[in-house]
Amino acid sequence: MESAGDWEKKLVMNELMQAHELTKQLRNHLSPSSPGELLIQKILSSFNKALSMLKSSDSEGEPQRTGPASGTDSPHSVSESPSSENSNRAFLDPECRDGSKKRKMQPKWSEQVRVSSGPSLEGPPDDGNSWIKYGLKDILGAKYPRAYYRCTHSNVQGCAAKKQVQRSEEDPSIFQVMYQGHHTCMQATNVIRGASPASPELKEQQQPQQGVLLNFTTGLKVRTEDLDTQGVNSSSFFPHASTQGANVGGCIFSSSSLDNPFMSTFSSPFMSPATSGSNYLSSVSSCHMNSYGGEGSTSMPTLVTSDINEIISAVPSGLNSSLVDFEFSLDQFDASAFLSSV
DNA sequence: CGCATTTGACCGAA
DNA sequence: TTCGGTCAAATGCG
């Protein structure tokens, strides 16, 4: 539902942000005292300006994508159910699945998972729950199909948790994960233990079960090796995305509660066991915050969308924390700007 | 053999 | 009518 112009603009923004990120990564490779640092600062600053210019013109007439899980967020996910996702599914109806396929009206929030995957890691990192894939659908306008998962215990315990995973078109290393419903099964807590503190069900368990939409924005990137974007064909789309985080070695994300006001204001429940998240963040990506915050100008309409109760950024402590990189997608950008400007 | 995944069909909402 | 979401039989894997 965006005009072509918006769409393109977002693409541009996305590209800029990627460049921005890469620059920051490059910066991380340099010593702080390196002469190149200054150049990088300038480059980053230019990116910021460009971004903020785009952004300000962007937010003029437009609500903001972070919206009610409208999915989307990142420009690439245009495809995100253009129509239905915007509707407020403000009511819970856990049981009304009497055979008929009602559209779900359950709390829903999205997470953006970036995985630069090697052959062994083709799906988004597991969130600590076991999921059963029950469908795969080609989505109109999207290059990659969307995969549908439900909690393994949906039968046994009637667990209503579901998730949808879709690979980003622009950057196949990004997975858009949309969670729906609450885990009512035991396993969520058992299995995860502290392994994935930021896993949604932990959060939602803290949520009052009012049918509000949760918009959970997570950026995480687990870098293993070179990205093999093309090789992944749609049918083998994350083969083992389910099951207890086997591929992530149980160390998936840590809540990046950061030490910013926003977080402490909004996401106290999310501050789960996570341990190293903030450390990681402050050491690796403090520059994000600074640079985005610096421009300050960006008013942060993003978060204002109607139903958002919680927004959180989580960072993986991935397979190799040394290799983990934190990247911002568009809305992460928004969020971070907001965060740092609050 | 039991389980998860795949895949095409079906259904309802828009 | 189209499209997203789900079902369920078939298939594959351990």
Side-chain angles (χ1 to χ4, degrees), chain A residues 183-196:
Chain A
H183 277 282
T184 56
C185 58
M186 305 302 294
Q187 73 113 48
T189 43
N190 290 343
V191 170
I192 321 183
R193 258 194 358 148
S196 57

Side-chain angles (χ1 to χ4, degrees), chain A residues 200-212:
Chain A
E201 45 291 335
L202 277 184
K203 291 173 219 112
E204 55 185 298
Q205 280 172 0
Q206 328 254 351
Q207 292 301 312
Q209 300 222 352
Q210 29 189 348
V212 292

Side-chain angles (χ1 to χ4, degrees), chain A residues 193-194 197 202 270-276:
Chain A
R193 258 194 358 148
L202 277 184
F270 296 140
M271 307 273 184
S272 24
T275 47
S276 54

Side-chain angles (χ1 to χ4, degrees), chain A residues 16-86:
Chain A
L16 280 172
M17 292 189 52
Q18 286 209 349
H20 188 265
E21 272 310 309
L22 290 171
T23 310
K24 283 185 290 190
Q25 287 178 32
L26 174 61
R27 178 199 212 177
N28 288 336
H29 290 297
L30 298 176
S31 66
S33 55
S34 156
E37 173 70 12
L38 213 128
L39 279 174
I40 290 187
Q41 295 269 10
K42 288 184 179 179
I43 295 173
L44 287 174
S45 156
S46 294
F47 279 132
N48 285 332
K49 282 181 188 171
L51 281 167
S52 61
M53 285 191 286
L54 268 174
K55 200 169 164 40
S56 56
S57 67
D58 187 39
S59 53
E60 280 171 15
E62 188 198 345
Q64 273 307 327
R65 50 211 173 263
T66 317
S70 76
T72 316
D73 354 330
S74 49
H76 356 295
S77 23
V78 208
S79 51
E80 286 280 355
S81 39
S83 51
S84 57
E85 308 240 336
N86 283 337

Side-chain angles (χ1 to χ4, degrees), chain A residues 14-298:
Chain A
N14 196 48
E15 286 306 311
L16 280 172
M17 292 189 52
Q18 286 209 349
H20 188 265
E21 272 310 309
L22 290 171
T23 310
K24 283 185 290 190
Q25 287 178 32
L26 174 61
R27 178 199 212 177
N28 288 336
H29 290 297
L30 298 176
S31 66
S33 55
S34 156
E37 173 70 12
L38 213 128
L39 279 174
I40 290 187
Q41 295 269 10
K42 288 184 179 179
I43 295 173
L44 287 174
S45 156
S46 294
F47 279 132
N48 285 332
K49 282 181 188 171
L51 281 167
S52 61
M53 285 191 286
L54 268 174
K55 200 169 164 40
S56 56
S57 67
D58 187 39
S59 53
E60 280 171 15
E62 188 198 345
Q64 273 307 327
R65 50 211 173 263
T66 317
S70 76
T72 316
D73 354 330
S74 49
H76 356 295
S77 23
V78 208
S79 51
E80 286 280 355
S81 39
S83 51
S84 57
E85 308 240 336
N86 283 337
S87 55
N88 295 333
R89 305 159 167 209
F91 20 131
L92 276 178
D93 192 347
E95 301 248 279
C96 77
R97 308 191 56 223
D98 39 16
S100 63
K101 299 129 195 195
K102 307 257 169 119
R103 298 275 154 109
K104 52 230 71 192
M105 310 196 178
Q106 293 176 328
K108 197 172 172 178
W109 64 97
S110 65
E111 175 177 337
Q112 211 168 57
V113 179
R114 180 176 191 122
V115 181
S116 299
S117 49
S120 63
L121 196 66
E122 300 217 314
D126 190 65
D127 48 21
N129 293 285
S130 31
W131 300 95
I132 290 184
K133 188 179 191 173
Y134 65 89
L136 185 72
K137 192 74 182 175
D138 280 318
I139 300 303
L140 198 77
K143 197 185 289 182
Y144 301 97
R146 178 180 297 170
Y148 300 87
Y149 297 86
R150 73 160 53 101
C151 177
T152 307
H153 302 75
S154 56
N155 303 326
V156 196
Q157 301 183 31
C159 181
K162 290 182 194 164
K163 76 173 179 180
Q164 303 175 0
V165 182
Q166 186 165 18
R167 190 180 280 254
S168 158
E169 308 170 30
E170 275 302 304
D171 187 348
S173 64
I174 292 181
F175 291 87
Q176 181 82 30
V177 182
M178 178 97 71
Y179 291 93
Q180 297 176 7
H182 299 264
H183 277 282
T184 56
C185 58
M186 305 302 294
Q187 73 113 48
T189 43
N190 290 343
V191 170
I192 321 183
R193 258 194 358 148
S196 57
S199 68
E201 45 291 335
L202 277 184
K203 291 173 219 112
E204 55 185 298
Q205 280 172 0
Q206 328 254 351
Q207 292 301 312
Q209 300 222 352
Q210 29 189 348
V212 292
L213 289 160
L214 304 181
N215 192 320
F216 169 42
T217 305
T218 299
L220 57 89
K221 173 182 183 179
V222 180
R223 168 175 302 174
T224 54
E225 32 183 298
D226 280 30
L227 183 55
D228 174 8
T229 58
Q230 311 293 21
V232 193
N233 67 35
S234 49
S235 59
S236 63
F237 200 32
F238 26 92
H240 294 299
S242 55
T243 56
Q244 355 286 338
N247 31 0
V248 256
C251 56
I252 332 273
F253 356 41
S254 41
S255 150
S256 68
S257 31
L258 310 178
D259 23 22
N260 68 61
F262 177 79
M263 281 312 177
S264 46
T265 307
F266 290 92
S267 58
S268 36
F270 296 140
M271 307 273 184
S272 24
T275 47
S276 54
S278 46
N279 289 344
Y280 165 73
L281 244 211
S282 53
S283 62
V284 174
S285 59
S286 55
C287 53
H288 299 342
M289 296 307 171
N290 293 340
S291 38
Y292 284 129
E295 76 199 25
S297 55
T298 30

